[in-house]
Amino acid sequence: HIRSDAQEVFAAGREILDVGVELGIPVQLSHIGSMAGFGQMESFLRMIDRYRMNGLDVSCDLYPYTAGSTQLIHVLPPESQDGGLAALTENLREPAFRARMRERMLTGTDFENLSLLVGWENIDVSTVANEENRRFVGRSIAESAQKEHADPFDFTFDLLASEHCTVTMIDRITSDADICAALRAPFSSVISDATYPASGLLHPRVYGTCTHLIEQYVCKRHVLTLEEAVKKLTSLPAGVLGLRSKGCLAAGMDADLCLFDAQALHETATWQAPAQLSEGMRWVFVGGVPAIREGAFTSAANGRVLRRA
């Protein structure tokens, strides 16, 4: 994961690519689609390609959505977390600390200043723990602050402090053109990046990533061919990870198969109701044993831990 996805993305990218060159090791750039610098993707991909042409084993991955999901504390400058989250929780109740954070967030360009880059209207609260804050889930910071008759900075500081800084957010940060450009790169794999949130309002990618890729970017928009999309979900990432028995249909490979009609696949997960399974997958075999048979789950549990060969 490079150290910046925003203004410093090129310097950050070169830094880790140069580490790969210096040490002679492969480099995998994580979820480059989350870059908040609109219009930078084509140039960033060309930079990766130059390193590849010079012999570096480098690839990348992305999730095919224009919104990301992470912890709300990441709207704050990185120095705010000095001392840990307990200290930050207390500091957010101090007027002087809040004033410093506000000033940094209004002007700072030396960190991923999301509130400045994308605006409070594009940052939604997705997970909280306290019942009194659940009314904010699914709403943007801008909307909630307005309803609470507060400015977005004070609202954010108050919410984080009341939740001991454990709030998550969905942030609309990437242009669709950048997603399409990254998908077309022959060295990009598709991931879900579905680490969190694990509760509250999930990101649709938790349930819908693979279906979303095929339904939207293959069948409807023709950004990729079906073969290209399948490769980005199977043999390409398997090769990057060194999973030698996975990713393609051949003698001696594990019998992991998905059988489907691409036109029948449909993502039912939405931003408002994300925890919904996709439709249209007819058969899934794991190690030769059906996990889905004619669209219905079986009781088979035939998976195993995968280790690099």
Side-chain angles (χ1 to χ4, degrees), residues 101-113:
M101 293 300 100
R102 178 193 294 264
E103 181 60 26
R104 287 278 282 129
M105 294 164 72
L106 284 170
T107 60
T109 59
D110 59 330
F111 66 100
E112 290 179 26
N113 193 349

Side-chain angles (χ1 to χ4, degrees), residues 96-141:
F97 181 85
R98 292 164 69 113
R100 290 198 302 274
M101 293 300 100
R102 178 193 294 264
E103 181 60 26
R104 287 278 282 129
M105 294 164 72
L106 284 170
T107 60
T109 59
D110 59 330
F111 66 100
E112 290 179 26
N113 193 349
L114 289 178
S115 63
L116 187 64
L117 284 166
V118 304
W120 293 114
E121 68 277 8
N122 287 311
I123 299 174
D124 296 350
V125 175
S126 56
T127 303
V128 297
N130 296 332
E131 185 62 37
E132 65 268 23
N133 292 326
R134 295 192 192 280
R135 66 187 187 275
F136 304 131
V137 171
R139 292 179 175 176
S140 71
I141 296 290

Side-chain angles (χ1 to χ4, degrees), residues 275-295:
Q276 301 187 83
L277 297 174
S278 294
E279 300 172 344
M281 183 59 68
R282 290 183 57 192
W283 287 82
V284 173
F285 294 85
V286 179
V289 177
I292 293 178
R293 178 188 289 114
E294 291 294 356

